[in-house]
Amino acid sequence: SYELTQPPSVSVSPGQTASITCSGDKLGDKYASWYQQKPGQSPMLVIYQDTKRPSGIPERFSGSNSGNTATLTIGGTQAMDEADYYCQAWDSSTVVFGGGTKLTVL
Amino acid sequence: QVQLQESGPGLVKPSETLSLTCAVSGYSISSGYYWGWIRQPPGKGLEWIGSIFQSGSTYDNPSLKSRVTISVDTSKNQFSLKLSSVTAIDTAVYYCARHTAHTTVATRYFDFWGRGTLVTVSS
């Protein structure tokens, strides 16, 4: 079965750029979505189709996808961005989620 | 604004069937989109269970397929999940969510989620 691998944790200082990776075999040939989940809340879509931001998502969130790696980048990270982030892709007609990355804003 | 709300028993006994319903407001299920179920064991990541279209066509996670039944009731604007023969490893927060129905499957994404409901499997 298809797998997506994320680092368990990433730390960033306020105002700096955070990058969260998601790796999978030929992931660049698929589309990646990213979800933010804060404690006690449901996931929220922040990036879809590799690079697109839903309405209401700040411009500091951006995405890329090439080769075997998709990347979520948060520029000028704020304390409110501290959360778990999950990547997601499709393998045929099956939804696959990455294991999640806890972003800590120190 | 699309809203989804899960409901169902919070406690299910081992070997029994877990049953949940997701009520949708702010959008008619009959108008399109897929409607899915995702779960999250305590302290762990997300696992997709399956999805259903307005027509009733479904597709499921192969690892759960034999135990999963997803159905839709357009007259009540809701859809449901049944997971049979549950064990403790099925303990999780269960979310319902909407995902797009692009012709190209790979471009689909989950755009609205319910708040989730915790289901504990225990005797």
mmCIF file of all heavy atoms in Angstrom, chain A residues 43-81:
data_model
loop_
_atom_site.group_PDB
_atom_site.id
_atom_site.type_symbol
_atom_site.label_atom_id
_atom_site.label_comp_id
_atom_site.label_asym_id
_atom_site.label_seq_id
_atom_site.Cartn_x
_atom_site.Cartn_y
_atom_site.Cartn_z
ATOM 1 N N PRO A 43 -9.506 18.698 11.717
ATOM 2 C CA PRO A 43 -8.548 19.188 10.714
ATOM 3 C C PRO A 43 -9.159 20.282 9.840
ATOM 4 O O PRO A 43 -10.375 20.310 9.614
ATOM 5 C CB PRO A 43 -8.246 17.932 9.888
ATOM 6 C CG PRO A 43 -8.550 16.793 10.809
ATOM 7 C CD PRO A 43 -9.717 17.258 11.614
ATOM 8 N N MET A 44 -8.307 21.153 9.351
ATOM 9 C CA MET A 44 -8.723 22.235 8.465
ATOM 10 C C MET A 44 -7.791 22.265 7.259
ATOM 11 O O MET A 44 -6.570 22.235 7.400
ATOM 12 C CB MET A 44 -8.671 23.576 9.198
ATOM 13 C CG MET A 44 -9.067 24.765 8.347
ATOM 14 S SD MET A 44 -9.042 26.310 9.258
ATOM 15 C CE MET A 44 -7.293 26.519 9.517
ATOM 16 N N LEU A 45 -8.373 22.345 6.091
ATOM 17 C CA LEU A 45 -7.603 22.392 4.845
ATOM 18 C C LEU A 45 -6.829 23.696 4.749
ATOM 19 O O LEU A 45 -7.412 24.776 4.892
ATOM 20 C CB LEU A 45 -8.564 22.258 3.660
ATOM 21 C CG LEU A 45 -7.982 22.283 2.259
ATOM 22 C CD1 LEU A 45 -7.195 21.004 1.976
ATOM 23 C CD2 LEU A 45 -9.099 22.466 1.226
ATOM 24 N N VAL A 46 -5.521 23.621 4.497
ATOM 25 C CA VAL A 46 -4.721 24.837 4.322
ATOM 26 C C VAL A 46 -4.096 24.920 2.928
ATOM 27 O O VAL A 46 -3.805 26.020 2.450
ATOM 28 C CB VAL A 46 -3.628 24.984 5.405
ATOM 29 C CG1 VAL A 46 -4.256 25.189 6.777
ATOM 30 C CG2 VAL A 46 -2.679 23.785 5.435
ATOM 31 N N ILE A 47 -3.859 23.778 2.303
ATOM 32 C CA ILE A 47 -3.329 23.743 0.939
ATOM 33 C C ILE A 47 -3.990 22.574 0.199
ATOM 34 O O ILE A 47 -4.125 21.490 0.753
ATOM 35 C CB ILE A 47 -1.799 23.543 0.909
ATOM 36 C CG1 ILE A 47 -1.071 24.754 1.484
ATOM 37 C CG2 ILE A 47 -1.297 23.267 -0.526
ATOM 38 C CD1 ILE A 47 -1.136 26.027 0.604
ATOM 39 N N TYR A 48 -4.387 22.801 -1.044
ATOM 40 C CA TYR A 48 -4.897 21.702 -1.860
ATOM 41 C C TYR A 48 -4.288 21.771 -3.252
ATOM 42 O O TYR A 48 -3.789 22.818 -3.670
ATOM 43 C CB TYR A 48 -6.432 21.729 -1.931
ATOM 44 C CG TYR A 48 -7.038 22.927 -2.641
ATOM 45 C CD1 TYR A 48 -7.433 22.838 -3.970
ATOM 46 C CD2 TYR A 48 -7.226 24.135 -1.970
ATOM 47 C CE1 TYR A 48 -7.993 23.922 -4.625
ATOM 48 C CE2 TYR A 48 -7.782 25.221 -2.614
ATOM 49 C CZ TYR A 48 -8.174 25.105 -3.944
ATOM 50 O OH TYR A 48 -8.725 26.183 -4.582
ATOM 51 N N GLN A 49 -4.308 20.669 -3.936
ATOM 52 C CA GLN A 49 -3.729 20.558 -5.277
ATOM 53 C C GLN A 49 -2.325 21.159 -5.313
ATOM 54 O O GLN A 49 -1.997 21.968 -6.179
ATOM 55 C CB GLN A 49 -4.660 21.194 -6.308
ATOM 56 C CG GLN A 49 -5.961 20.418 -6.435
ATOM 57 C CD GLN A 49 -6.988 21.088 -7.343
ATOM 58 O OE1 GLN A 49 -6.737 22.144 -7.931
ATOM 59 N NE2 GLN A 49 -8.155 20.491 -7.445
ATOM 60 N N ASP A 50 -1.531 20.767 -4.354
ATOM 61 C CA ASP A 50 -0.098 21.108 -4.217
ATOM 62 C C ASP A 50 0.150 22.537 -3.742
ATOM 63 O O ASP A 50 0.987 22.758 -2.868
ATOM 64 C CB ASP A 50 0.653 20.920 -5.540
ATOM 65 C CG ASP A 50 0.760 19.481 -5.962
ATOM 66 O OD1 ASP A 50 0.606 18.578 -5.107
ATOM 67 O OD2 ASP A 50 1.012 19.238 -7.159
ATOM 68 N N THR A 51 -0.495 23.506 -4.371
ATOM 69 C CA THR A 51 -0.087 24.894 -4.162
ATOM 70 C C THR A 51 -1.217 25.866 -3.863
ATOM 71 O O THR A 51 -0.954 27.046 -3.583
ATOM 72 C CB THR A 51 0.638 25.422 -5.416
ATOM 73 O OG1 THR A 51 -0.297 25.392 -6.520
ATOM 74 C CG2 THR A 51 1.860 24.576 -5.773
ATOM 75 N N LYS A 52 -2.455 25.423 -3.901
ATOM 76 C CA LYS A 52 -3.582 26.351 -3.797
ATOM 77 C C LYS A 52 -4.043 26.533 -2.352
ATOM 78 O O LYS A 52 -4.082 25.570 -1.582
ATOM 79 C CB LYS A 52 -4.736 25.850 -4.670
ATOM 80 C CG LYS A 52 -4.381 25.747 -6.143
ATOM 81 C CD LYS A 52 -5.514 25.178 -6.969
ATOM 82 C CE LYS A 52 -5.110 25.058 -8.429
ATOM 83 N NZ LYS A 52 -6.175 24.454 -9.251
ATOM 84 N N ARG A 53 -4.390 27.768 -2.025
ATOM 85 C CA ARG A 53 -4.874 28.093 -0.686
ATOM 86 C C ARG A 53 -6.378 28.308 -0.712
ATOM 87 O O ARG A 53 -6.879 29.095 -1.514
ATOM 88 C CB ARG A 53 -4.211 29.368 -0.169
ATOM 89 C CG ARG A 53 -2.845 29.176 0.457
ATOM 90 C CD ARG A 53 -2.263 30.504 0.955
ATOM 91 N NE ARG A 53 -2.003 31.425 -0.143
ATOM 92 C CZ ARG A 53 -2.746 32.480 -0.424
ATOM 93 N NH1 ARG A 53 -3.823 32.756 0.297
ATOM 94 N NH2 ARG A 53 -2.412 33.273 -1.439
ATOM 95 N N PRO A 54 -7.111 27.651 0.198
ATOM 96 C CA PRO A 54 -8.555 27.921 0.298
ATOM 97 C C PRO A 54 -8.774 29.365 0.747
ATOM 98 O O PRO A 54 -7.886 29.998 1.333
ATOM 99 C CB PRO A 54 -9.036 26.944 1.360
ATOM 100 C CG PRO A 54 -7.968 25.918 1.471
ATOM 101 C CD PRO A 54 -6.691 26.604 1.134
ATOM 102 N N SER A 55 -9.949 29.864 0.492
ATOM 103 C CA SER A 55 -10.312 31.190 0.947
ATOM 104 C C SER A 55 -10.157 31.284 2.464
ATOM 105 O O SER A 55 -10.576 30.386 3.192
ATOM 106 C CB SER A 55 -11.762 31.489 0.551
ATOM 107 O OG SER A 55 -12.199 32.693 1.094
ATOM 108 N N GLY A 56 -9.541 32.362 2.918
ATOM 109 C CA GLY A 56 -9.386 32.564 4.347
ATOM 110 C C GLY A 56 -8.074 32.072 4.930
ATOM 111 O O GLY A 56 -7.761 32.376 6.087
ATOM 112 N N ILE A 57 -7.313 31.321 4.160
ATOM 113 C CA ILE A 57 -6.012 30.852 4.631
ATOM 114 C C ILE A 57 -4.961 31.926 4.322
ATOM 115 O O ILE A 57 -4.852 32.369 3.175
ATOM 116 C CB ILE A 57 -5.625 29.513 3.978
ATOM 117 C CG1 ILE A 57 -6.660 28.443 4.316
ATOM 118 C CG2 ILE A 57 -4.219 29.077 4.415
ATOM 119 C CD1 ILE A 57 -6.852 28.189 5.798
ATOM 120 N N PRO A 58 -4.189 32.309 5.323
ATOM 121 C CA PRO A 58 -3.208 33.390 5.117
ATOM 122 C C PRO A 58 -2.192 33.077 4.027
ATOM 123 O O PRO A 58 -1.836 31.913 3.800
ATOM 124 C CB PRO A 58 -2.527 33.496 6.490
ATOM 125 C CG PRO A 58 -3.516 32.948 7.454
ATOM 126 C CD PRO A 58 -4.220 31.857 6.736
ATOM 127 N N GLU A 59 -1.701 34.123 3.404
ATOM 128 C CA GLU A 59 -0.738 33.968 2.309
ATOM 129 C C GLU A 59 0.583 33.361 2.771
ATOM 130 O O GLU A 59 1.365 32.873 1.941
ATOM 131 C CB GLU A 59 -0.480 35.329 1.662
ATOM 132 C CG GLU A 59 -1.655 35.874 0.881
ATOM 133 C CD GLU A 59 -1.311 37.174 0.162
ATOM 134 O OE1 GLU A 59 -0.124 37.589 0.168
ATOM 135 O OE2 GLU A 59 -2.240 37.787 -0.401
ATOM 136 N N ARG A 60 0.851 33.394 4.076
ATOM 137 C CA ARG A 60 2.113 32.843 4.550
ATOM 138 C C ARG A 60 2.171 31.324 4.392
ATOM 139 O O ARG A 60 3.249 30.734 4.498
ATOM 140 C CB ARG A 60 2.380 33.231 6.012
ATOM 141 C CG ARG A 60 1.387 32.691 7.023
ATOM 142 C CD ARG A 60 1.779 33.140 8.444
ATOM 143 N NE ARG A 60 0.880 32.629 9.470
ATOM 144 C CZ ARG A 60 -0.229 33.235 9.831
ATOM 145 N NH1 ARG A 60 -0.578 34.369 9.231
ATOM 146 N NH2 ARG A 60 -1.009 32.708 10.776
ATOM 147 N N PHE A 61 1.030 30.689 4.123
ATOM 148 C CA PHE A 61 1.003 29.247 3.864
ATOM 149 C C PHE A 61 1.176 29.010 2.366
ATOM 150 O O PHE A 61 0.449 29.565 1.541
ATOM 151 C CB PHE A 61 -0.316 28.625 4.318
ATOM 152 C CG PHE A 61 -0.463 28.511 5.807
ATOM 153 C CD1 PHE A 61 -0.949 29.582 6.545
ATOM 154 C CD2 PHE A 61 -0.107 27.350 6.474
ATOM 155 C CE1 PHE A 61 -1.073 29.493 7.921
ATOM 156 C CE2 PHE A 61 -0.230 27.240 7.847
ATOM 157 C CZ PHE A 61 -0.710 28.316 8.575
ATOM 158 N N SER A 62 2.157 28.175 2.017
ATOM 159 C CA SER A 62 2.356 27.837 0.618
ATOM 160 C C SER A 62 2.776 26.381 0.506
ATOM 161 O O SER A 62 3.215 25.769 1.484
ATOM 162 C CB SER A 62 3.400 28.749 -0.035
ATOM 163 O OG SER A 62 4.665 28.573 0.587
ATOM 164 N N GLY A 63 2.645 25.834 -0.693
ATOM 165 C CA GLY A 63 2.983 24.432 -0.884
ATOM 166 C C GLY A 63 3.700 24.207 -2.201
ATOM 167 O O GLY A 63 3.587 24.991 -3.138
ATOM 168 N N SER A 64 4.446 23.110 -2.246
ATOM 169 C CA SER A 64 5.118 22.694 -3.467
ATOM 170 C C SER A 64 5.155 21.171 -3.493
ATOM 171 O O SER A 64 4.959 20.513 -2.467
ATOM 172 C CB SER A 64 6.532 23.268 -3.548
ATOM 173 O OG SER A 64 7.335 22.758 -2.489
ATOM 174 N N ASN A 65 5.384 20.618 -4.673
ATOM 175 C CA ASN A 65 5.411 19.156 -4.802
ATOM 176 C C ASN A 65 6.223 18.790 -6.028
ATOM 177 O O ASN A 65 5.874 19.173 -7.155
ATOM 178 C CB ASN A 65 3.987 18.606 -4.927
ATOM 179 C CG ASN A 65 3.945 17.089 -4.906
ATOM 180 O OD1 ASN A 65 4.926 16.433 -4.573
ATOM 181 N ND2 ASN A 65 2.798 16.536 -5.260
ATOM 182 N N SER A 66 7.295 18.042 -5.809
ATOM 183 C CA SER A 66 8.151 17.635 -6.921
ATOM 184 C C SER A 66 8.898 16.368 -6.534
ATOM 185 O O SER A 66 9.252 16.176 -5.363
ATOM 186 C CB SER A 66 9.138 18.748 -7.266
ATOM 187 O OG SER A 66 9.975 18.367 -8.337
ATOM 188 N N GLY A 67 9.132 15.527 -7.529
ATOM 189 C CA GLY A 67 9.867 14.299 -7.249
ATOM 190 C C GLY A 67 9.116 13.410 -6.280
ATOM 191 O O GLY A 67 7.976 13.022 -6.530
ATOM 192 N N ASN A 68 9.743 13.113 -5.164
ATOM 193 C CA ASN A 68 9.120 12.277 -4.144
ATOM 194 C C ASN A 68 8.668 13.056 -2.912
ATOM 195 O O ASN A 68 8.268 12.446 -1.914
ATOM 196 C CB ASN A 68 10.096 11.187 -3.693
ATOM 197 C CG ASN A 68 10.424 10.196 -4.797
ATOM 198 O OD1 ASN A 68 9.558 9.812 -5.577
ATOM 199 N ND2 ASN A 68 11.687 9.798 -4.880
ATOM 200 N N THR A 69 8.736 14.384 -2.981
ATOM 201 C CA THR A 69 8.485 15.182 -1.778
ATOM 202 C C THR A 69 7.560 16.367 -2.018
ATOM 203 O O THR A 69 7.779 17.163 -2.929
ATOM 204 C CB THR A 69 9.811 15.695 -1.199
ATOM 205 O OG1 THR A 69 10.684 14.590 -0.941
ATOM 206 C CG2 THR A 69 9.579 16.440 0.112
ATOM 207 N N ALA A 70 6.567 16.466 -1.163
ATOM 208 C CA ALA A 70 5.725 17.651 -1.093
ATOM 209 C C ALA A 70 6.133 18.425 0.151
ATOM 210 O O ALA A 70 6.494 17.829 1.171
ATOM 211 C CB ALA A 70 4.246 17.270 -1.024
ATOM 212 N N THR A 71 6.073 19.739 0.062
ATOM 213 C CA THR A 71 6.505 20.584 1.169
ATOM 214 C C THR A 71 5.470 21.645 1.477
ATOM 215 O O THR A 71 4.990 22.333 0.573
ATOM 216 C CB THR A 71 7.849 21.261 0.857
ATOM 217 O OG1 THR A 71 8.841 20.257 0.562
ATOM 218 C CG2 THR A 71 8.329 22.089 2.047
ATOM 219 N N LEU A 72 5.149 21.770 2.751
ATOM 220 C CA LEU A 72 4.320 22.865 3.242
ATOM 221 C C LEU A 72 5.265 23.882 3.865
ATOM 222 O O LEU A 72 6.066 23.537 4.737
ATOM 223 C CB LEU A 72 3.319 22.373 4.273
ATOM 224 C CG LEU A 72 2.512 23.447 5.007
ATOM 225 C CD1 LEU A 72 1.528 24.116 4.041
ATOM 226 C CD2 LEU A 72 1.758 22.861 6.196
ATOM 227 N N THR A 73 5.170 25.111 3.418
ATOM 228 C CA THR A 73 6.019 26.173 3.928
ATOM 229 C C THR A 73 5.167 27.239 4.584
ATOM 230 O O THR A 73 4.156 27.666 4.026
ATOM 231 C CB THR A 73 6.856 26.792 2.802
ATOM 232 O OG1 THR A 73 7.650 25.772 2.174
ATOM 233 C CG2 THR A 73 7.779 27.869 3.348
ATOM 234 N N ILE A 74 5.561 27.621 5.773
ATOM 235 C CA ILE A 74 4.869 28.687 6.492
ATOM 236 C C ILE A 74 5.878 29.801 6.697
ATOM 237 O O ILE A 74 6.842 29.666 7.457
ATOM 238 C CB ILE A 74 4.320 28.199 7.849
ATOM 239 C CG1 ILE A 74 3.491 26.925 7.656
ATOM 240 C CG2 ILE A 74 3.460 29.280 8.495
ATOM 241 C CD1 ILE A 74 3.079 26.258 8.954
ATOM 242 N N GLY A 75 5.673 30.909 5.995
ATOM 243 C CA GLY A 75 6.579 32.031 6.095
ATOM 244 C C GLY A 75 6.140 32.980 7.209
ATOM 245 O O GLY A 75 4.955 33.243 7.385
ATOM 246 N N GLY A 76 7.117 33.492 7.984
ATOM 247 C CA GLY A 76 6.735 34.399 9.072
ATOM 248 C C GLY A 76 5.831 33.698 10.071
ATOM 249 O O GLY A 76 4.764 34.210 10.421
ATOM 250 N N THR A 77 6.269 32.530 10.534
ATOM 251 C CA THR A 77 5.436 31.692 11.409
ATOM 252 C C THR A 77 4.996 32.448 12.657
ATOM 253 O O THR A 77 5.786 33.145 13.289
ATOM 254 C CB THR A 77 6.203 30.427 11.808
ATOM 255 O OG1 THR A 77 6.674 29.776 10.619
ATOM 256 C CG2 THR A 77 5.306 29.462 12.564
ATOM 257 N N GLN A 78 3.740 32.250 12.995
ATOM 258 C CA GLN A 78 3.174 32.885 14.184
ATOM 259 C C GLN A 78 2.821 31.829 15.223
ATOM 260 O O GLN A 78 2.663 30.652 14.901
ATOM 261 C CB GLN A 78 1.935 33.680 13.798
ATOM 262 C CG GLN A 78 2.201 34.790 12.789
ATOM 263 C CD GLN A 78 0.959 35.592 12.469
ATOM 264 O OE1 GLN A 78 -0.082 35.465 13.123
ATOM 265 N NE2 GLN A 78 1.047 36.449 11.459
ATOM 266 N N ALA A 79 2.656 32.269 16.445
ATOM 267 C CA ALA A 79 2.330 31.342 17.538
ATOM 268 C C ALA A 79 1.050 30.575 17.224
ATOM 269 O O ALA A 79 0.917 29.398 17.570
ATOM 270 C CB ALA A 79 2.207 32.097 18.842
ATOM 271 N N MET A 80 0.110 31.210 16.531
ATOM 272 C CA MET A 80 -1.157 30.569 16.213
ATOM 273 C C MET A 80 -1.006 29.436 15.206
ATOM 274 O O MET A 80 -1.939 28.663 14.998
ATOM 275 C CB MET A 80 -2.143 31.591 15.639
ATOM 276 C CG MET A 80 -1.758 32.139 14.279
ATOM 277 S SD MET A 80 -3.056 33.153 13.553
ATOM 278 C CE MET A 80 -3.098 34.505 14.705
ATOM 279 N N ASP A 81 0.174 29.332 14.582
ATOM 280 C CA ASP A 81 0.393 28.260 13.600
ATOM 281 C C ASP A 81 0.828 26.959 14.261
ATOM 282 O O ASP A 81 0.953 25.943 13.586
ATOM 283 C CB ASP A 81 1.457 28.686 12.583
ATOM 284 C CG ASP A 81 1.047 29.939 11.821
ATOM 285 O OD1 ASP A 81 -0.170 30.123 11.589
ATOM 286 O OD2 ASP A 81 1.934 30.739 11.460
#
